[in-house]
Amino acid sequence: MTALPDAERTLAALADRMRGAVAFDARFVGIYSGGAWIAKRLAQTLEGDHPVGYIDVSFYRDDFNRKGLKPEIKRTELPFEVEGATIVLVDDVLYTGRSVRAAINELFDYGRPARIELAVLIDRGGRELPIEATYAGARLAVARNLSVVLSRDADGTLALATEAGGA
């Protein structure tokens, strides 16, 4: 079994890697749900004015017909202009790259950003698409039959776990 890093320490490491490298006025867009939690925390932690938006990629996934809708569809909320902006797309776990591809497709429905960077808490490898994180809190190998899952308790503390049933 793969030992997972502490989520809070990994988030701090991710923020350290981003500090000074992210544009002062970058907009953060978190992919529901784990990416949304991380985007909000990063925006509060990093220097600069970082408005936060949230995106649900359910309808943009290329495996929508196979997987169907998740029971908790969320509303995409982008309370800022995407056109010409520097966007930091934030997700909890980067695996195949399909969620990120879907998020980029959806972002372009709102305008053409000047630049998109990708920040992830965990990069677990196993890409099926040529997508690479600009910033990663930790990189680790996880068996294909396992999913890495981020949870948040009532006080906002994040935790990582593995569950059977990989992507």
Side-chain angles (χ1 to χ4, degrees):
M1 181 154 172
T2 302
L4 295 176
D6 176 81
E8 291 294 331
R9 278 195 285 259
T10 305
L11 179 59
L14 176 60
D16 284 345
R17 288 182 180 97
M18 295 174 73
R19 200 163 273 114
V22 172
F24 195 75
D25 63 345
R27 285 119 168 95
F28 285 45
V29 177
I31 299 174
Y32 281 117
S33 63
W37 302 333
I38 296 164
K40 185 175 181 181
R41 295 269 298 273
L42 288 171
Q44 294 168 344
T45 303
L46 296 173
E47 187 177 337
D49 179 23
H50 303 293
V52 180
Y54 308 103
I55 198 166
D56 186 323
V57 300
S58 298
F59 293 112
Y60 287 79
R61 295 231 5 150
D62 62 0
D63 56 1
F64 173 78
N65 288 336
R66 187 170 49 99
K67 286 190 170 185
L69 282 177
K70 291 182 181 177
E72 303 151 5
I73 299 295
K74 305 261 194 231
R75 181 181 175 155
T76 292
E77 299 175 40
L78 299 173
F80 46 76
E81 286 294 319
V82 170
E83 184 74 31
T86 296
I87 302 289
V88 178
L89 188 60
V90 183
D91 205 0
D92 52 355
V93 179
L94 177 58
Y95 183 29
T96 64
R98 294 185 183 283
S99 292
V100 172
R101 184 213 47 88
I104 291 169
N105 284 354
E106 186 170 355
L107 276 173
F108 272 84
D109 283 351
Y110 289 86
R112 186 177 189 272
R115 177 184 179 103
I116 299 174
E117 296 179 335
L118 177 60
V120 297
L121 188 65
I122 300 292
D123 180 347
R124 62 170 287 177
R127 224 73 79 238
E128 295 174 3
L129 300 172
I131 292 175
E132 188 67 30
T134 313
Y135 312 101
R139 297 179 196 281
L140 56 115
V142 178
R144 289 189 75 75
N145 66 335
L146 295 176
S147 292
V148 178
V149 179
L150 181 68
S151 62
R152 183 177 68 167
D153 66 19
D155 73 354
T157 302
L158 300 174
L160 289 164
T162 55
E163 293 179 357

